[in-house]
């Protein structure tokens, strides 16, 4: 039965921006730390060399043998066995037996979904190490679709003005242009923007965490990093609730001054680093002026680079950027609530055409809370996520409130539950402090629940006075 109109609700003033979700050893030791036994199918990592990564004094390559670094040395044991300022990074991965590495040589284009052996479809992670040339429209589409379908993207910037090939663009501009000027999603898809800063020197510290996989990866514990002319990022969790700062410039925290950050987009993962100095191992091609930031004792840079690659490459296991056998599908029934309570389990009156809160599309939506008295509303639907699939929950959320304090009196939790009703994860938490006009798109990675039947559940809890309305529309659980 359709939810009845609820006259106790009244539209309140809109406010603020939608809010936030869910965040020892030396570098040389970290690079050689014990790692898991070799994967049956190595994780495939492609390093870019098409965007002037070797212009000027830069030498951001894992080896001069391209596309296959094994052409220089098939069994490298030290960074000098391959030639390039990123050779320590490459050799560190190669020695584990878990990775298959390639370079996209200069003169090539970045593609996704073609027959090329160096197409992104054939890789788990793509590394853009301080790109100095804007990506073409087709390349930006390729990168974004790669991530959206399950690939890992590693973005490494440098300070503003580091235009090494003098074409008018530096890494800050190239990365920001990728995120704001693509045809897939230009509405702040990763939840951060690169700051136009030139920070001469700093030793940023990592957040305190015993669970984050980048901070606590198999290559060692991350304590911090270094800035030797670099920049930071501004995080925007209201645009992408998965964005998370892991390493911060001295004196910074929260949404500002993030030197290393991670995020998700679609079924894939993204990592950002604000300076190329930490990945420079001090060795490379003749004529370049290089510095050994990789082993700088002020940071655990090797562990950070290697752990992040490990995390990015696990975005879809060994299936690559959406290259598995999963059939693309949308799993939720009655996505926009236009069929009333069909497919959904909801508290009385939640699914409604009450005009006190407009739907984003159509007539019906799910309206949780808004009573102005102590009350709890729920909305849930169970889905079966096929084995081997990447999965993403998407929904549009609008919050308005009559609250005027700085306290989160009213909350909405987005959670995943197993068949027994146990909460497996809280994907997002929002409150009256996150009120804003209009609807905002929220996306959550459900890939960890492939092969399971799980319930997506929203729970709105309201305090004793002053209403807060959590209004949801146009939902989906997409698999690919």
């Amino acid at each position: 039965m359709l939810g009845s109109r609820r006259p106790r609700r009244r539209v309140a003033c809109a406010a603020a921006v939608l809010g936030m979700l869910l965040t020892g050893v030396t570098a040389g030791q970290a690079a050689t730390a014990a790692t898991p036994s070799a994967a049956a199918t190595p994780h495939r990592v492609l390093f870019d060399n098409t965007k002037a990564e070797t212009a000027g004094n830069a030498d951001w390559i894992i080896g001069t043998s391209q596309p296959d670094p094994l052409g220089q040395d098939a069994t490298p044991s030290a960074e000098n066995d391959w030639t390039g300022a990123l050779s320590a990074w490459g050799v560190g991965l190669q020695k584990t037996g878990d990775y298959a590495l390639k370079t996209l040589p200069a003169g090539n284009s970045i593609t996704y979904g073609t027959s090329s052996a160096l197409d992104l479809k054939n890789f788990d992670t793509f590394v853009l190490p301080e790109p100095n040339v804007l990506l073409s429209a087709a390349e930006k589409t390729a990168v974004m679709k790669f991530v959206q379908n399950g690939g890992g993207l590693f973005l490494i910037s440098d300070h503003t003005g580091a235009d090494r090939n003098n074409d008018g663009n530096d890494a800050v501009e190239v990365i920001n242009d990728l995120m704001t000027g693509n045809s897939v999603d230009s509405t702040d898809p990763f939840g951060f923007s690169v700051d136009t800063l030139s920070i001469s020197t700093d030793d940023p510290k990592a957040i305190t965490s015993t669970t984050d996989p980048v901070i606590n990866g198999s290559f060692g514990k991350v304590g911090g990093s270094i800035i030797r002319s670099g920049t930071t990022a501004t995080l925007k969790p209201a645009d992408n609730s998965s964005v998370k700062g892991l390493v911060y410039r001295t004196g910074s925290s929260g949404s500002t001054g993030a030197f290393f950050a991670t995020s998700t987009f679609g079924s894939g993962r993204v990592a950002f680093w604000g300076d190329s100095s930490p990945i420079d191992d001090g060795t490379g091609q003749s004529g370049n002026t290089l510095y050994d930031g990789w082993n700088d004792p002020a940071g655990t840079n090797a562990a950070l680079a290697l752990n992040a690659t490990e995390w990015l490459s696990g975005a879809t296991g060994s299936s690559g950027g959406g290259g598995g056998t999963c059939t693309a599908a949308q799993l939720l029934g009655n996505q926009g609530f236009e069929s009333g309570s069909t497919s959904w389990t909801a508290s009385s009156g939640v699914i409604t055409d009450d005009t006190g809160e407009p739907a984003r599309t159509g007539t019906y939506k799910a309206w949780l809370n808004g009573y102005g008295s102590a009350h709890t509303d729920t909305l849930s639907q169970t889905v079966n996520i096929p084995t081997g699939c990447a999965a993403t929950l998407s929904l549009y959320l609008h919050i308005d409130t009559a609250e005027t304090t700085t306290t989160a009196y009213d909350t909405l939790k987005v959670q995943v539950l197993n068949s027994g009703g146990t909460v497996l994860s809280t994907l997002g938490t929002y409150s009256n402090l996150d009120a804003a006009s209009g609807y905002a798109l929220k996306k959550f990675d459900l890939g960890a629940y492939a092969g399971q039947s799980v319930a997506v559940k929203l729970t709105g809890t309201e305090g004793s006075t002053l209403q807060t309305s959590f209004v949801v529309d146009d939902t989906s659980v997409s698999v690919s």
Side-chain angles (χ1 to χ4, degrees), residues 34-52:
T35 57
S37 57
T41 302
H43 299 304
R44 300 155 297 176
V45 183
L46 181 65
F47 288 79
D48 186 70
N49 188 31
T50 70
K51 303 303 173 213

Side-chain angles (χ1 to χ4, degrees), residues 144-313:
M144 296 299 295
K145 285 189 173 295
F146 167 70
V147 180
Q148 188 178 53
N149 290 332
L153 176 63
F154 207 147
L155 299 169
I156 300 167
S157 186
D158 202 355
H159 62 93
T160 190
D163 180 11
R164 299 182 184 274
N165 62 336
N166 299 311
D167 71 342
N169 298 294
D170 56 34
V172 173
E173 295 164 323
V174 173
I175 294 173
N176 281 335
D177 178 69
L178 167 65
M179 298 186 293
T180 61
N182 69 82
S183 64
V184 177
D185 187 341
S186 289
T187 57
D188 194 20
F190 305 151
F192 67 83
S193 59
V194 186
D195 302 325
T196 54
L197 296 175
S198 182
I199 304 165
S200 60
T201 185
D202 190 43
D203 297 331
K205 301 306 179 187
I207 62 171
T208 300
S209 172
T210 59
T211 59
D212 184 87
V214 176
I215 299 295
N216 303 279
S218 66
F219 292 94
K221 179 77 172 182
V222 173
S225 187
I226 62 170
I227 300 177
R228 303 295 183 259
S229 292
T231 189
T232 55
T234 297
L235 310 186
K236 303 174 184 178
D239 296 337
N240 185 326
S241 56
S242 69
V243 72
K244 182 179 182 180
L246 299 186
V247 179
Y248 282 89
R249 181 184 182 184
T250 302
S252 296
S253 63
S255 296
T256 60
F259 182 57
F260 196 102
T262 59
S263 186
T264 64
F265 175 67
S267 302
R269 298 175 177 177
V270 180
F272 164 81
W273 209 340
D275 190 7
S276 54
S277 299
I279 58 173
D280 186 346
D281 61 26
T283 67
Q285 299 179 89
S286 176
N288 292 321
T289 303
L290 303 171
Y291 302 91
D292 188 3
W294 185 261
N295 294 295
D296 191 316
T300 46
N301 300 308
L304 185 51
L306 297 168
N307 286 348
T309 310
E310 179 179 61
W311 177 73
L312 291 168
S313 299

